[in-house]
Amino acid sequence: MNESVIYYTITDEAPALATASLLPIVQAYAAAANVNIETRDISLAGRILAVFADQLTESQQVGDALGELGALAKTPEANIIKLPNVSASIPQLKAAISELQALGYNVPDYVDEPTTDAERDARSRYDKVKGSAVNPVLREGNSDRRAPLSVKAYARKHPHVNKAFAAGSKTRVATMGHDDFFSNEKSVVLAQADVLDIRHTALDGTVTDLKKGLKVLEGEIIDATFMNSAALDEFLAETLEQAKRDNVLYSLHLKATMMKVSDPILFGHAVKTFFAGVFEKHGAALAAAGLSANDGLGTILAGLASVAGGDEIAADFDSALAQGPRVSYVNSDKGITNLHVPSDVIVDASMPALIRNGGKLWGVDGSEDDTLAVIPDSSYAGVYQATIEDVIENGPLNPATIGSVPNVGLMAQAAEEYGSHDKTFEIKAAGRVDVINAAGEVLISHEVGQGDIWRATQTKDEPVRDWVKLAVTRARATNVPAIFWLDEARAHDANLIAKVRKYLADHDISGLTIEIMEPAAATKYSLGRIREGLDTISVTGNVLRDYLTDLFPILEVGTSAKMLSIVPLLNGGGLFETGAGGSAPKHVQQFVEENYLRWDSLGEFFALAASLEHLAVTTGNAKAQVLADTLDRATGTFLEEDRSPGRKIGTIDNRGSHFYIGLYWAQELAKQTADAELAGKFTALAKDLTDAEGKIVDELIAVQGKPVDIGGYYRPDAAKVDQAMRPSATLNRALATL
């Protein structure tokens, strides 16, 4: 029989640790069905090493796994399981570089303001690595993301708690509503293929090419907009005063990982506004030391030890923190505020957590309080305010009775990649930014000031056509309303609406409910339906896809990690994503301190089953279908028996969860009747694992409670990780029998 191949990604943090435990089980079971599981390292450290291969020794060099998978994603044979990876903010990137340098890898520093050719070359290479560099390469298709039926059934039977907002709650969202990305957006649809330049002309006539040779296709949507930095600073100052007047916590919510260029700058503005007096007094000294507000308060404080007068500056920061509005804390025990690290408070994860917790975040002493949630750009802030208003008016959502809001997301071919990559700029001098075509015609023009943040983005026509098709397909398959979350008052959305209406005409939509609503109205509509136990498909662009596939799952089933995320690739392959990674850093910290990994791999079980099913269909491997069907049933048992990691030492952690999915999967394979050969292979293993259950669990729990050395955070030692994540000799011996 043909050997079928699934490509399993090695990523970062807790998902990478978990892979060391789960993958040996998966590979052993898959091999029995002539399915080969190959790995590809797309971790942040791996990506750094790949782009600097020419500067490393031969033994240190690694291949460009991301580039390889990106090419594969454009073929019908693609079958890729993608785990959450670090979407590297600048502080994370610098930390990874430092770790690699300490391990003996000759990679250069990341220089914020490069001045030499070598520094500019290094910066150019790092720009290919930082932020959400992985997703645009692999996502050669649109997103179909939903809660599996087994997860919804479990949530209804074992509902988590969504807390009520207290009477008179002061929690709300603050957003600009003017002079921001939403307000200033302009959009054009290209009548023909073209090559564009982005050009800045200063008031003194100096011309700077920001981007040259941008190739675009017929029908492609090109958008450009900017954030007025002066208006931003004024807004931030007003929100600080408002938080102090209302005596609530001040909390900034951005996406400094996905919007890797724009949002760290916004974050820096917030830090400088909060500590305005400190920067007025010490700004020159901080700049001379290379300490940037864009990297967060934590990086600045950590770097003061090497700055003359550092103790005085640190004291001034402490004083300003005490005198300003009360700020929310990421970790009050460690003194980590909302303004410490740009990547610590990511809007799509932080806002649902705030809403689920009754509108409260945590202060300096760990106590909870109402919060002013600051989301500067108004593009999607209304979604969260509408949700807050709904919960205040109607009470918290009850997971035992509510419906679901699955998502069909436009993301293929880097659609709507905002605020990142090579088309976002902090304007160096007041003047004008123009988008100019090959004929010299100005397509889009903005008058800009020094410090404004200007960005452009592309959305190709083919992904839009496919997105509409996927939405209709899901609506037809489920007989559930499909709502396009688009605002005709927004320039980009107006062009997208025209395409949606055009391509809907290509499909039979008789009997289906397919509507277009602006995001806040769509939020209220969807919340109203799920309170009645009804489902509603959200059909959204890329950023809202990212936001909603956390918002609704966290309220519905307690986490976004339990979602089934399928990306039908445009050329027929499949990409299967395993869930969000927002809490991964905390899990790693606990693991290193206590040898206890609370990461939940449930999303991987769903992704693997879908991947195996896709493989069976595309290659004719019937045994792969048996693996998929039995894994689905095993996952149902896993949920019913509540084998997800516990909350404290002494219970099973991630490694115990993997043992149980392996046990239940073997039991299902042994008793299935579709393939006698497979049943025979797993009969003995199922008996061995069943008989040894108590001993294996004891071995897995026995190692807990002590620190564990994994040899690094971004580039851990593989042998140490393997030893730490596979501590049960009994389980390892049983797997070896396959």
Side-chain angles (χ1 to χ4, degrees):
M1 177 184 293
N2 259 355
E3 183 181 67
S4 310
V5 180
I6 293 173
Y7 294 87
Y8 210 97
T9 57
I10 305 299
T11 56
D12 310 275
E13 298 179 328
L17 295 176
T19 296
S21 168
L22 178 61
L23 192 57
I25 297 172
V26 172
Q27 287 176 319
Y29 286 40
N34 301 316
V35 175
N36 186 33
I37 310 290
E38 294 190 13
T39 61
R40 293 294 185 272
D41 181 0
I42 61 169
S43 66
L44 174 57
R47 300 192 321 261
I48 291 171
L49 296 180
V51 298
F52 289 103
D54 59 320
Q55 299 183 20
L56 304 176
T57 66
E58 187 173 347
S59 63
Q60 292 176 328
Q61 291 174 358
V62 300
D64 181 10
L66 180 58
E68 178 189 349
L69 291 182
L72 178 68
K74 297 177 181 179
T75 70
E77 296 77 29
N79 191 319
I80 303 167
I81 295 180
K82 181 195 169 292
L83 280 74
N85 60 280
V86 168
S87 293
S89 64
I90 300 300
Q92 288 174 308
L93 179 62
K94 290 179 178 178
I97 293 167
S98 295
E99 181 175 311
L100 288 171
Q101 290 171 339
L103 291 171
Y105 292 95
N106 184 34
V107 294
D109 291 334
Y110 177 93
V111 179
D112 292 302
E113 299 291 341
T115 58
T116 68
D117 287 344
E119 289 175 347
R120 281 187 284 269
D121 174 64
R123 174 64 180 268
S124 175
R125 299 195 203 192
Y126 280 128
D127 284 347
K128 299 174 184 177
V129 170
K130 68 186 181 186
S132 54
V134 170
N135 295 336
V137 174
L138 297 186
R139 287 173 172 169
E140 282 288 323
N142 292 310
S143 169
D144 172 9
R145 200 161 191 213
R146 55 191 185 269
L149 294 177
S150 56
V151 170
K152 282 296 287 184
Y154 179 83
R156 286 178 170 138
K157 189 172 182 179
H158 308 279
H160 65 272
V161 175
N162 291 322
K163 295 180 181 178
F165 279 60
S169 171
K170 297 178 182 178
T171 294
R172 66 177 179 86
V173 173
T175 192
M176 291 177 69
H178 62 86
D179 293 310
D180 61 356
F181 292 129
F182 179 94
S183 308
N184 293 321
E185 187 172 70
K186 297 180 181 180
S187 180
V188 295
V189 179
L190 276 298
Q192 59 189 24
D194 211 329
V195 179
L196 310 181
D197 293 338
I198 301 172
R199 185 174 301 158
H200 174 256
T201 304
L203 293 179
D204 65 3
T206 302
V207 175
T208 304
D209 287 320
L210 300 177
K211 174 74 176 178
K212 287 186 69 67
L214 180 63
K215 295 180 180 179
V216 293
L217 302 176
E218 179 183 347
E220 191 163 348
I221 301 173
I222 303 298
D223 306 319
T225 185
F226 72 98
M227 172 78 75
N228 183 300
S229 61
L232 171 64
D233 290 341
E234 183 179 343
F235 163 76
L236 292 169
E238 290 172 353
T239 57
L240 289 168
E241 292 174 3
Q242 185 65 54
K244 195 158 189 175
R245 281 198 303 271
D246 291 348
N247 192 26
V248 295
L249 299 177
Y250 185 88
S251 185
L252 179 69
H253 300 262
L254 295 169
K255 184 78 171 177
T257 51
M258 181 179 185
M259 300 169 189
K260 66 184 183 185
V261 179
S262 63
D263 281 28
I265 299 173
L266 300 182
F267 191 89
H269 276 268
V271 172
K272 285 185 284 189
T273 304
F274 194 103
F275 299 100
V278 182
F279 278 89
E280 184 177 352
K281 182 178 178 182
H282 302 292
L286 294 172
L291 299 175
S292 169
N294 295 8
D295 294 340
L297 179 61
T299 299
I300 293 174
L301 295 178
L304 289 178
S306 58
V307 177
D311 290 343
E312 177 192 351
I313 300 174
D316 286 347
F317 273 113
D318 288 341
S319 176
L321 193 60
Q323 293 173 21
R326 294 182 297 129
V327 69
S328 70
Y329 273 69
V330 172
N331 189 325
S332 56
D333 292 340
K334 296 181 180 294
I336 300 174
T337 73
N338 173 266
L339 299 176
H340 260 64
V341 184
S343 57
D344 266 0
V345 184
I346 302 174
V347 60
D348 47 334
S350 59
M351 284 304 299
L354 166 71
I355 295 166
R356 180 181 166 181
N357 198 43
K360 297 183 183 296
L361 291 178
W362 294 269
V364 64
D365 59 356
S367 61
E368 299 178 352
D369 209 342
D370 290 346
T371 304
L372 183 66
V374 178
I375 306 174
D377 180 47
S378 57
S379 294
Y380 303 122
V383 168
Y384 297 112
Q385 181 61 30
T387 306
I388 289 171
E389 290 171 0
D390 177 89
V391 174
I392 289 175
E393 181 179 352
N394 301 304
L397 295 166
N398 180 2
T401 60
I402 60 175
S404 188
V405 183
N407 180 263
V408 172
L410 172 64
M411 66 178 192
Q413 298 179 350
E416 297 185 356
E417 284 286 341
Y418 293 118
S420 60
H421 305 293
D422 55 356
K423 295 182 290 296
T424 302
F425 310 95
E426 187 172 24
I427 302 302
K428 302 300 183 184
R432 187 181 72 252
V433 176
D434 298 320
V435 179
I436 305 167
N437 68 9
E441 299 167 328
V442 175
L443 304 182
I444 297 174
S445 183
H446 288 110
E447 300 294 327
V448 293
Q450 183 178 358
D452 289 354
I453 306 145
W454 188 96
R455 73 183 192 194
T457 191
Q458 303 165 251
T459 303
K460 293 178 174 59
D461 187 68
E462 183 187 4
V464 177
R465 188 192 298 263
D466 179 79
W467 176 54
V468 172
K469 176 184 176 183
L470 184 57
V472 173
T473 300
R474 292 302 303 155
R476 178 70 66 189
T478 59
N479 197 28
V480 165
I483 308 301
F484 285 85
W485 293 44
L486 299 170
D487 187 350
E488 62 183 0
R490 181 178 174 186
H492 168 75
D493 283 10
N495 280 329
L496 207 51
I497 287 170
K499 286 182 177 287
V500 167
R501 287 174 174 155
K502 174 184 177 182
Y503 294 136
L504 280 174
D506 295 339
H507 302 279
D508 175 14
I509 59 173
S510 58
L512 302 180
T513 299
I514 297 180
E515 298 184 36
I516 297 170
M517 297 183 186
E518 62 88 11
T523 304
K524 295 174 184 176
Y525 176 83
S526 302
L527 286 169
R529 283 181 56 84
I530 65 173
R531 286 184 182 278
E532 297 175 10
L534 302 173
D535 298 346
T536 311
I537 301 170
S538 60
V539 189
T540 72
N542 195 3
V543 178
L544 261 182
R545 172 204 59 80
D546 212 43
Y547 291 5
L548 297 191
T549 53
D550 275 303
L551 174 61
F552 287 110
I554 287 172
L555 298 177
E556 288 178 30
V557 300
T559 175
S560 59
K562 296 180 179 181
M563 299 297 286
L564 175 62
S565 183
I566 299 174
V567 182
L569 299 173
L570 296 177
N571 289 325
L575 175 69
F576 305 90
E577 300 190 271
T578 68
S583 58
K586 294 180 181 178
H587 291 321
V588 177
Q589 182 182 58
Q590 183 182 15
F591 181 72
V592 170
E593 292 175 354
E594 302 176 341
N595 203 345
Y596 186 88
L597 186 64
R598 202 176 142 197
W599 176 260
D600 193 338
S601 295
L602 186 61
E604 286 170 70
F605 308 159
F606 293 129
L608 178 60
S611 170
L612 288 164
E613 183 172 9
H614 178 79
L615 198 76
V617 171
T618 57
T619 68
N621 185 339
K623 291 182 183 295
Q625 186 64 57
V626 175
L627 284 183
D629 293 340
T630 52
L631 179 55
D632 269 337
R633 293 196 291 272
T635 303
T637 304
F638 178 94
L639 285 166
E640 189 58 36
E641 296 295 327
D642 195 16
R643 297 303 188 183
S644 288
R647 301 186 67 87
K648 58 184 180 180
I649 289 178
T651 59
I652 62 165
D653 71 349
N654 176 265
R655 295 164 290 191
S657 289
H658 295 163
F659 159 65
Y660 276 108
I661 196 65
L663 170 64
Y664 300 146
W665 197 4
Q667 290 172 341
E668 291 292 342
L669 281 161
K671 68 185 182 184
Q672 57 82 26
T673 58
D675 190 308
E677 181 187 5
L678 268 180
K681 287 183 179 180
F682 283 90
T683 298
L685 179 63
K687 183 179 187 305
D688 289 346
L689 294 180
T690 301
D691 292 347
E693 176 184 355
K695 184 177 182 182
I696 291 171
V697 170
D698 286 345
E699 289 175 348
L700 294 173
I701 291 178
V703 299
Q704 296 176 9
K706 303 174 188 140
V708 59
D709 174 24
I710 57 174
Y713 186 90
Y714 293 98
R715 191 70 171 176
D717 181 277
K720 291 180 178 179
V721 170
D722 184 72
Q723 183 177 10
M725 291 305 299
R726 303 188 67 198
S728 170
T730 305
L731 174 58
N732 298 342
R733 283 195 299 269
L735 288 175
T737 64
L738 276 178

